[in-house]
């Protein structure tokens, strides 16, 4: 297929640009570890994670969900291991998963060893929950080091070490960071430093403060997350605010958007956040107006129809769906593909050129058709040879 320059921004990196443009955010310098084939930290691209919601012991259901999140752009997936049946299912899941699998362990240290033996790419432990954690660190460190498996130390406001909770009186940012650094020191005593840290809280401001403080006191890669962020709308906003601030300061190496929504939606939200920050190559972006009294089209319905029609579209595109003549033509011209609506019709633009005018009912089909022509050309196609209304006799569309 011919490579087409769509004029989209490229992801930022740790190296300054050579063309005199504004330099990207300087990433916090961290150690690097590998979660299977995915590098985390050390300037590696920021990865997107999620967690399955299936019963892990149900191997088929879990693998199906992993396939779905992989298709949505997920880089790393975590599965819960609360029981012996879940631990027993890990080898089959790890073998067949298309992306690295992290085992999420609470309460029972023996499942940490089971996950390592199963070939999991990493293990997440919550020391505030695991019984007899302190006196098992040496064994865990030895097993993980021998297998080349990194450990993620997850500190949450809701499961903070009781000793630190008593000391600080609440799950403050200082308490979260002290807990994380204490747990790191327990592993460091055994020479183990393949560590990734997550300090999470349901309050974005506490989470931001904790990660800033942690970034000052260690060089481990950081996993960002606003835990229990809430339903999709509220949780996406809280996560986007927290991630945007921290990533804008160069803090953060991997993210999870913890929504009360299907894992696929968590992944989509995470990918969009990174794309909006220029930290991941853009895929589909819908630019649409919010609506006002000038509109002569149901822009909310039309934008939703366009978004649904382009769901899963494999090429990066910016598609503008505009509802009136004030900003519509200009915004549509700025996009790779766009439509400006009015009087029951839509004027279709492609890379700044007007292609044709179609009836309102044909707008979605026309945009998809032009997107395919733009990204998968099979024959010469000159926009100037298609005057407005040209397709009226061919497809019955009005001009």
């Amino acid at each position: 297929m011919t490579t087409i320059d769509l004029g989209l921004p490229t992801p930022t990196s740790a190296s300054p640009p050579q063309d005199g443009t504004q330099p990207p955010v300087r990433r916090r310098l961290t150690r690097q570890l590998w979660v299977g084939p995915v590098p985390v930290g050390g300037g590696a691209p920021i990865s997107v994670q999620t967690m399955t919601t299936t019963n892990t012991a149900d191997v088929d259901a879990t693998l199906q969900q992993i396939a779905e999140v992989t298709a949505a752009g997920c880089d790393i997936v975590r599965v819960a291991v609360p029981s012996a049946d879940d631990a027993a299912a890990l080898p089959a899941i790890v073998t067949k998963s298309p992306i690295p699998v992290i085992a999420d362990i609470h309460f029972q240290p023996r499942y940490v060893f089971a996950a390592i033996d199963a070939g999991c790419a990493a293990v997440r432990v919550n020391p505030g929950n695991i019984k007899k954690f302190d006196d098992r660190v040496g064994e865990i460190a030895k097993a993980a080091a021998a297998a080349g498996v990194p450990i993620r130390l997850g500190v949450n406001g809701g499961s903070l070490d009781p000793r630190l909770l008593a000391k600080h009186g609440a799950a403050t940012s200082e308490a979260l960071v002290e807990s994380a650094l204490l747990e790191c020191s327990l592993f460091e005593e055994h020479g183990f430093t393949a560590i990734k840290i997550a300090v999470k809280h349901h309050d974005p401001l506490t989470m931001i403060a904790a990660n800033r403080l942690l970034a000052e006191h260690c060089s481990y890669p950081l996993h960002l997350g606003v835990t229990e962020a809430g339903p999709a709308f509220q949780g996406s906003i809280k996560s986007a605010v927290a991630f945007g601030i921290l990533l804008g300061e160069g803090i953060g190496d991997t993210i999870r958007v913890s929504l009360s929504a299907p894992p696929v939606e968590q992944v989509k939200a995470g990918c969009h956040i990174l794309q909006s920050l220029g930290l991941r190559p853009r895929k589909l972006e819908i630019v649409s107006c919010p609506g006002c009294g000038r509109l002569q089209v149901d822009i909310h319905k039309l934008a939703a129809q366009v978004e649904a029609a382009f769901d899963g579209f494999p090429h990066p595109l910016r598609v503008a769906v505009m509802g009136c003549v004030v900003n519509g033509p200009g915004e549509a011209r700025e996009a790779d593909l766009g439509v400006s609506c009015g009087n029951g019709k839509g004027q279709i633009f492609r890379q700044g050129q007007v292609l044709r005018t179609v009836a309102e009912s044909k707008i979605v089909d026309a945009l998809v058709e032009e997107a395919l022509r733009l990204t998968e050309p099979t024959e010469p196609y000159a926009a100037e040879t298609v005057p407005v209304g040209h397709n009226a006799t061919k497809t019955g569309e009005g001009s």
Side-chain angles (χ1 to χ4, degrees), residues 103-113 123-137 140 151-154 159 161-163 183 187:
D104 190 83
I105 311 296
H106 290 263
F107 306 115
Q108 295 294 341
R110 69 176 182 270
Y111 297 145
V112 175
F113 304 106
V123 176
R124 182 271 177 125
V125 299
N126 189 326
N129 282 343
I130 289 185
K131 299 176 182 177
K132 298 181 179 179
F133 173 76
D134 291 2
D135 58 1
R136 300 296 297 275
V137 170
I140 294 173
I151 299 289
R152 174 189 149 194
L153 296 174
S159 56
D161 187 307
R163 297 165 293 184
E183 290 149 12
F187 279 90

Side-chain angles (χ1 to χ4, degrees), residues 218-238:
C218 76
S219 61
Y220 292 116
L222 302 183
H223 171 116
L224 302 185
V226 178
T227 192
E228 295 103 27
F233 177 75
Q234 172 182 288
S236 295
I237 292 175
K238 289 167 68 174

